[in-house]
Amino acid sequence: ISVFSEIAKQQVHQSCPSATPILEKIGQTSRDLISNLNDIVWAVNPKNDQFDNIVLRMRLFAADLLMSKNINIDFDVDDKVSDMTLGIEKRKHFFLIFKEAVNNVYKYADCSELHIHIHNCNGNICMDITDNGKGFDIKNVTPGTGLHSMKERAKLLNGQLIIESSPGKGMQLYLSFPV
């Protein structure tokens, strides 16, 4: 679908320019679907239970996405979590919270630096994500599915999710959940 929409977009661009946005939407939707299916296939693969595999996927995702905006990434993982294992459900929710947070940084933060710290805190996995971007008024966020979905996933992890931000001060996300 993605390839065919690109071919169609090139062929109708001159004769019917009004079709271009629709074809772009079809292509983007199909690419998003491919990405989501890849996440599901990765999450259900038992060899990805080791935390090192999760971290590798997280690093690759963040680097691929943020490189295009020249955002420097400081990705720090404590040795105490490297030996942990996460089952399918926890791995999926943890990764998707991370992915949504990094996507939000990409789309909205207008930052130059992103700090990600994953560590063991009293037997829990803790993740801090901080950017030096423009921030936002947490009380006046336009409701979307991203923040809501992160909060729901944190509940499914029996965890705690705190997001702090204010205009001009960047954003900090803190997630903690039991292994």
Side-chain angles (χ1 to χ4, degrees):
I1 295 169
S2 177
V3 171
F4 290 147
S5 69
E6 286 299 316
I7 293 169
K9 186 171 72 174
Q10 290 173 5
Q11 291 179 354
V12 302
H13 181 66
Q14 297 294 335
S15 61
C16 186
S18 62
T20 301
I22 295 167
L23 292 168
E24 285 176 359
K25 180 71 173 167
I26 291 169
Q28 186 58 51
T29 302
S30 66
R31 286 185 293 280
D32 290 345
L33 178 63
I34 291 167
S35 175
N36 291 335
L37 284 172
N38 283 337
D39 288 342
I40 291 168
V41 169
W42 174 83
V44 299
N45 187 340
K47 70 179 178 182
N48 292 321
D49 286 353
Q50 280 303 117
F51 207 80
D52 285 343
N53 290 334
I54 299 164
V55 169
L56 177 61
R57 185 160 178 94
M58 294 166 85
R59 285 181 193 269
L60 291 172
F61 173 79
D64 285 348
L65 185 64
L66 301 177
M67 189 180 347
S68 66
K69 286 199 172 184
N70 294 321
I71 298 172
N72 293 322
I73 305 167
D74 173 32
F75 204 119
D76 179 40
V77 180
D78 192 16
D79 290 338
K80 293 180 183 177
V81 296
S82 294
D83 296 331
M84 294 180 160
T85 59
L86 286 180
I88 292 171
E89 285 299 310
K90 287 193 176 202
R91 181 173 63 240
K92 176 180 78 171
H93 295 307
F94 177 60
F95 178 73
L96 291 176
I97 289 170
F98 169 82
K99 186 176 178 182
E100 184 64 41
V102 172
N103 270 320
N104 285 347
V105 167
Y106 175 81
K107 291 179 188 175
Y108 307 115
D110 194 25
C111 67
S112 61
E113 294 185 13
L114 179 66
H115 302 280
I116 301 161
H117 182 215
I118 301 172
H119 53 105
N120 180 337
C121 50
N122 301 320
N124 288 345
I125 291 179
C126 295
M127 177 172 64
D128 300 300
I129 299 177
T130 306
D131 70 48
N132 68 343
K134 64 183 179 183
F136 56 93
D137 183 353
I138 200 84
K139 294 178 180 144
N140 291 322
V141 174
T142 305
T145 58
L147 293 176
H148 176 73
S149 129
M150 285 192 289
K151 289 177 183 176
E152 288 301 312
R153 290 184 185 286
K155 284 181 190 175
L156 293 169
L157 288 168
N158 294 317
Q160 179 181 20
L161 177 73
I162 299 169
I163 300 173
E164 297 176 347
S165 185
S166 59
K169 305 271 183 176
M171 179 278 313
Q172 180 176 17
L173 176 146
Y174 173 78
L175 172 69
S176 173
F177 66 95
V179 178

